[in-house]
Amino acid sequence: MAREKTLGASPPPDDKNRDAALRPKLLKEVIGQRNVAERLEIAVRASKILNEPLGHILFDGPPGLGKTTFATVLPNELGTSIQMTSGPALSKPADLLPFLTNLEESSILFIDEIHRMPRVVEEFIYPAMEDFRIDIVLGDGVNARTISMHLKRFTLIGATTRGGMLSGPMRDRFKMREHLDYYSVEELATIVKVNAAKLNTTIADAACVEIARRSRGTPRVANARLHWCRIYAVGTADGVISLDLAERALLQQEVDPTGLDKNDRRYLEVLVDVFGGGPTGADAMAATMNIAVDTLTDEIEPYLLREQFLIRTPRGRTATAKAFQLLGKLHPEESKSDKPSLFDPD
Ligand code: ADP
């Protein structure tokens, strides 16, 4: 199995620990995203035959869909090591040096949230990606000179929730670019079943499907919902997750039958009650909800957009008739048409 080297990594929060424990270890254990997994299987096989490192890979897609999972599975497949860092942790080129000098032949450097890496660091990493060398400037002014340092051949894996924010030159340097999409209910139900077994928890098939239906198409959410159902089953019953128990546990957690949680409903309430259904901007919504704009755009909105509770127009976010219906409110168009017209026959 791959050795993970963590340089300068802060202790991970609970969610990350749980994710790490449930994360698949090999490509064949990865559920769903079959096209991506098959392309990676081919690339791994070729890399072993050619005795060359895997080409640099970029994963993009909303949070919790498996970008880190794919990145951590690959070193296991290749029998190599991985170092993990993230864009915000690399504020200057020197922050990259320990990672680059620690590289082993064909090892992996994983940079999460790579779109948040400053431009100077991005430019510093280009020669490392292209020619496995870095240029270091020593001294300054007239005495400045540049020395080139050769690196071990490695694979950079970048993950981003905002593919569009990555610069063109950075994007072009990745040999493979893989977009991860939301999972089907069947795929999530399988993930729930497999993970319940890893947690030694008995769960009914119908409960797996119910948890999957309410997990916003996202494995990380499914893991969190399963975790809560398991706690609820132990805390209130005999530890077995039946369909009835899963429904009660999710209700207790304020996850409704459509899969929306407290934050989703609050978003829609603010948009409808405070902004009259929109259109309004992300900054105004985030300020009113008292949450970070990134949480709003990366975690809450993608699911509401996908489920058509929300549309985004050049003028801003607008609630759909479906959102008004969910909140039991009349859509402005409907209230207009309800008003008696002078031309109504009676
Ligand atoms: P991302 O990096 O895209 O935010 P992660 O890779 O951290 O998402 O995925 C979150 C968790 O969801 C993982 O720890 C893993 O348990 C689970 N997961 C993600 N993708 C899959 C998958 N395809 N099959 C099984 N479990 C998955």
Side-chain angles (χ1 to χ4, degrees), residues 19 22-24 30-31 64-69 183 219-220 223:
D19 280 349
L22 296 177
R23 204 164 259 148
V30 170
I31 295 156
L65 293 194
K67 299 180 293 298
T68 312
T69 300
Y183 291 64
R220 178 176 294 140
N223 283 348

Side-chain angles (χ1 to χ4, degrees), residues 128-150:
M129 290 175 80
E130 273 172 8
D131 306 323
F132 304 114
R133 74 173 165 83
I134 43 172
D135 299 321
I136 302 174
V137 182
L138 295 177
D140 51 338
V142 283
N143 295 324
R145 61 197 173 92
T146 305
I147 55 159
S148 259
M149 193 177 127
H150 284 278

Side-chain angles (χ1 to χ4, degrees), residues 261-268 289 291 295 300 304:
D261 63 21
K262 248 190 329 211
N263 273 342
D264 300 319
R265 281 193 304 274
R266 192 160 132 62
Y267 179 99
L268 294 176
M289 289 180 72
I291 58 169
T295 311
I300 302 181
L304 294 176

Side-chain angles (χ1 to χ4, degrees), residues 30-172:
V30 170
I31 295 156
Q33 312 286 356
R34 268 347 288 170
N35 290 342
V36 178
E38 275 167 24
R39 281 192 287 274
L40 292 172
E41 266 158 19
I42 295 169
V44 165
R45 210 175 309 133
S47 146
K48 286 182 181 164
I49 295 170
L50 297 169
N51 199 18
E52 280 176 12
L54 215 54
H56 307 304
I57 308 173
L58 179 69
F59 291 110
D60 92 289
L65 293 194
K67 299 180 293 298
T68 312
T69 300
F70 274 114
T72 50
V73 153
L74 288 170
N76 292 336
E77 294 282 348
L78 294 159
T80 174
S81 65
I82 181 167
Q83 301 183 84
M84 304 181 83
T85 183
S86 72
L90 303 168
S91 59
K92 52 189 186 307
D95 295 334
L96 255 179
L97 278 178
F99 295 102
L100 296 176
T101 50
N102 259 307
L103 290 168
E104 292 169 0
E105 185 70 18
S106 293
S107 66
I108 286 175
L109 174 59
F110 174 63
I111 306 184
D112 200 7
E113 297 187 75
I114 195 165
H115 61 275
R116 293 179 62 190
M117 202 162 73
R119 187 54 63 91
V120 278
V121 183
E122 209 178 274
E123 281 165 8
F124 180 72
I125 212 174
Y126 289 158
M129 290 175 80
E130 273 172 8
D131 306 323
F132 304 114
R133 74 173 165 83
I134 43 172
D135 299 321
I136 302 174
V137 182
L138 295 177
D140 51 338
V142 283
N143 295 324
R145 61 197 173 92
T146 305
I147 55 159
S148 259
M149 193 177 127
H150 284 278
L151 304 170
K152 301 261 171 58
R153 295 183 311 162
F154 72 106
T155 303
L156 179 70
I157 301 187
T160 175
T161 47
R162 306 265 187 96
M165 274 177 67
L166 216 59
S167 73
M170 184 80 214
R171 208 176 13 249
D172 291 346

